[in-house]
Amino acid sequence: MKHKFEEIRVLDNFYQTSSFYPMPVVLVTTYSESGAVNIGPYSLVFPFGIADKHAMMLISRVDSNTSMNIQRTKKAVLNFIPYNKKILKNTVRLGFPGQTAEEKLDDSIFTLIPVDGEENGVVPPIIGESIQSIVCTWDDNEDIFRYKGREDESHYLLRIDKILIKPNWYKSLVNGDGKFPSLPIDYGYRDNQYFWFAEHKAPYKEPLPKGKGVDIDTVRYQADRLDPEVFWTDEACERIVAIPRVFLKRAMTQIVEQAKEMGYSTITPEVLDIIRDKRNQEKRR
Ligand SMILES: Cc1cc2nc3c(=O)[nH]c(=O)nc-3n(C[C@H](O)[C@H](O)[C@H](O)COP(=O)(O)O)c2cc1C
């Protein structure tokens, strides 16, 4: 009986009506036509372009303020607010459809802060209470992304211009100190009465599987063929045996490119440390 399943009918908004789907809580700031800042709560906000062309996907009803503002101005800021019942109460109030930006501002408890170095009136302000805010520009090139779904739902591919993060969380992120902010989890609007939020618990760490990588001979074979100008020591080869085979060539090519850029012709474990620590420069700040 432990592994028995029931099929549930797939309804519209299936993520909240037909399943348990943990979602983030994001306050999207945009500029409305009157020039007032609009604050709209959204949970269908996900990473979309993850390598090179970094982007988020936002799904909204087509006639929301946020939707119309993005179509007109192309700019939006995705503000990730912390888990806090007062903040979430106000978030739900700001999610009541049909209110103008001005009416919502009167009701809002949030602090609006201009984005440093950006022209006021172009890039919307960030919510001061946020843990992090992602400043975005809508990419409306239909050759890149086009979704022909129902006319009342719209999908926005939002290119990431910058990510702003509170200094203490910046430190935790770049130093990997194991601390994580308390971001709410939204389980959606399930019963025509309430939105359901959950608090996150302190994360724990699970080591990556060992012994599933490649053997040293495979690494050596690759190392000797990648670039005649760059030599890999055995110790350096040994250090990367845990990389899954499918990523090995790409990872080693990147290491060689970065080593050359930094002026190294021999890759040792020390050089790997310097290269692999992508955040090295930031840590020294
Ligand atoms: C926590 C929360 C999450 C929401 N997520 C979404 C969403 O992902 N997409 C959507 O279309 N509406 C979502 N809504 C409903 C919108 O907030 C609502 O349509 C609101 O009127 C939008 O505000 P705006 O018109 O100022 O953009 C959500 C509401 C709340 C409270």
Side-chain angles (χ1 to χ4, degrees):
M1 286 314 261
K2 202 168 121 194
H3 298 309
K4 190 173 177 294
F5 290 86
E6 272 312 317
E7 181 173 345
I8 190 161
R9 201 150 61 89
V10 183
L11 302 173
D12 285 350
N13 297 321
F14 63 89
Y15 52 90
Q16 55 190 3
T17 51
S18 307
S19 66
F20 296 103
Y21 194 75
M23 297 179 284
V25 182
V26 176
L27 290 180
V28 182
T29 43
T30 49
Y31 272 120
S32 62
E33 208 167 1
S34 67
V37 176
N38 188 73
I39 306 174
Y42 287 83
S43 284
L44 296 172
V45 183
F46 312 102
F48 190 73
I50 54 161
D52 258 355
K53 294 188 168 170
H54 305 142
M56 299 289 283
M57 175 59 54
L58 165 71
I59 309 176
S60 169
R61 64 183 165 88
V62 71
D63 54 354
S64 69
N65 299 335
T66 301
S67 194
M68 291 186 297
N69 293 343
I70 292 176
Q71 288 185 29
R72 203 184 57 261
T73 67
K74 295 200 172 183
K75 297 284 182 189
V77 180
L78 312 176
N79 301 278
F80 288 73
I81 46 171
Y83 179 89
N84 169 306
K85 288 192 175 158
K86 195 172 148 215
I87 284 183
L88 291 171
K89 198 179 197 52
N90 196 237
T91 297
V92 173
R93 286 182 66 86
L94 297 176
F96 193 76
Q99 289 194 295
T100 63
E102 285 84 352
E103 283 167 341
K104 292 216 234 185
L105 284 180
D106 281 347
D107 200 13
S108 153
I109 59 166
F110 296 107
T111 320
L112 297 172
I113 315 268
V115 178
D116 260 358
E118 296 291 349
E119 202 182 323
N120 220 353
V122 178
V123 172
I126 54 181
I127 302 269
E129 288 75 7
S130 314
I131 302 277
Q132 63 193 3
S133 297
I134 307 186
V135 180
C136 299
T137 303
W138 177 37
D139 187 341
D140 59 352
N141 183 342
E142 294 204 339
D143 291 338
I144 293 175
F145 174 75
R146 178 169 193 217
Y147 175 70
K148 283 196 108 182
R150 272 172 48 150
E151 280 182 359
D152 55 358
E153 80 184 47
S154 36
H155 295 63
Y156 296 100
L157 190 161
L158 300 174
R159 295 263 187 239
I160 297 179
D161 299 326
K162 54 174 104 168
I163 301 181
L164 301 166
I165 187 159
K166 285 268 169 70
N168 54 331
W169 294 118
Y170 176 101
K171 274 198 211 115
S172 291
L173 190 60
V174 300
N175 296 328
D177 65 5
K179 291 195 188 124
F180 290 79
S182 179
L183 294 167
I185 301 162
D186 179 8
Y187 282 104
Y189 182 56
R190 314 194 69 86
D191 46 16
N192 295 330
Q193 261 192 323
Y194 302 105
F195 269 96
W196 291 83
F197 299 104
E199 188 173 4
H200 100 137
K201 283 195 176 157
Y204 77 103
K205 51 188 176 188
E206 188 67 56
L208 292 174
K210 288 216 165 66
K212 285 198 171 197
V214 288
D215 60 40
I216 180 112
D217 294 338
T218 312
V219 181
R220 170 53 64 204
Y221 180 87
Q222 205 56 261
D224 292 343
R225 274 155 193 81
L226 271 181
D227 191 320
E229 289 172 23
V230 179
F231 175 75
W232 289 68
T233 65
D234 285 344
E235 294 74 25
C237 291
E238 219 162 286
R239 279 281 292 275
I240 61 167
V241 290
I243 295 180
R245 185 181 291 269
V246 287
F247 301 139
L248 187 69
K249 191 166 176 200
R250 188 160 23 124
M252 290 180 77
T253 307
Q254 280 172 1
I255 291 170
V256 165
E257 275 168 13
Q258 288 177 39
K260 283 175 92 171
E261 257 171 45
M262 294 166 89
Y264 295 108
S265 56
T266 302
I267 297 180
T268 61
E270 293 71 40
V271 172
L272 283 179
D273 281 341
I274 296 167
I275 292 170
R276 285 172 79 187
D277 189 357
K278 291 186 197 155
R279 304 279 188 195
N280 210 37
Q281 283 177 346
E282 287 163 63
K283 270 187 191 172
R284 275 192 246 120
R285 275 179 23 172

